[in-house]
Amino acid sequence: NGQSPHSIHAIVEGGDVQQIGQTIFDKISAGCAMDGDIEVDALDIQGLPHQIFFDRPTYSDVYITVNLTKRPGYPTNGAALIKQYLTDYGLTLNIGQPLLNARLYTPVNLVPNHYITSITAGISPSPTSENNINVAYDGLIRIDPSRIVVNEV
């Protein structure tokens, strides 16, 4: 990943920058090099500052299209539920973890009484691919209801 030898490269989502820097300092071994673009001064037990480096994830906003056929008993709010379940699933993905298209079927199938004809996903609107979406080691997939389209027939 282009990391310096004998170093750490922390990719951290969320949290207070100063607290993250102090936590990294408190946990690393003495003399360990660090990579990252965010620089924070953390204090040792004598109150002396030490430069700590880390990065935030590189986000990949994903667009999803679900095509399905409704069956009797399909809820009137089925599309909204599907969007919420897909968004919730996105929150379970870790930094560096790809979006596997086949895994999108599980949250969609939490809504009863339909069958899926296709699910496509991509990093641009109107996705047409059923392929997985890979991210770099520091990448993080983001799924948002505003980027999900549910076509019900």
Side-chain angles (χ1 to χ4, degrees):
N1 299 328
Q3 186 173 323
S4 305
H6 312 289
S7 69
I8 65 166
H9 186 188
I11 312 296
V12 183
E13 183 185 32
D16 175 71
V17 172
Q18 190 62 45
Q19 185 177 11
I20 293 166
Q22 189 65 49
T23 301
I24 292 171
F25 177 77
D26 292 343
K27 301 294 180 182
I28 64 169
S29 301
C32 183
M34 287 168 278
D35 288 323
D37 292 330
I38 299 172
E39 180 181 341
V40 176
D41 283 335
L43 303 178
D44 64 18
I45 59 173
Q46 296 175 336
L48 299 173
H50 298 269
Q51 291 178 323
I52 302 299
F53 298 90
F54 68 95
D55 278 323
R56 296 295 190 178
T58 302
Y59 295 104
S60 292
D61 292 330
V62 172
Y63 296 82
I64 300 171
T65 300
V66 178
N67 296 303
L68 61 84
T69 301
K70 299 186 291 185
R71 299 181 49 96
Y74 180 77
T76 56
N77 65 339
L81 290 171
I82 288 170
K83 289 179 180 186
Q84 185 59 55
Y85 294 149
L86 285 168
T87 302
D88 292 346
Y89 170 70
L91 295 174
T92 69
L93 298 174
N94 294 313
I95 296 171
Q97 185 177 358
L99 176 70
L100 304 176
N101 186 279
R103 299 275 188 211
L104 298 176
Y105 284 76
T106 300
V108 173
N109 282 324
L110 292 173
V111 176
N113 302 318
H114 71 277
Y115 65 87
I116 300 167
T117 54
S118 68
I119 298 179
T120 56
I123 55 172
S124 61
S126 303
T128 59
S129 176
E130 293 182 7
N131 294 332
N132 300 330
I133 299 173
N134 294 310
V135 294
Y137 73 96
D138 66 342
L140 184 61
I141 298 286
R142 286 195 299 194
I143 298 174
D144 184 87
S146 67
R147 293 187 302 273
I148 300 170
V149 174
V150 179
N151 296 314
E152 306 166 321
V153 183

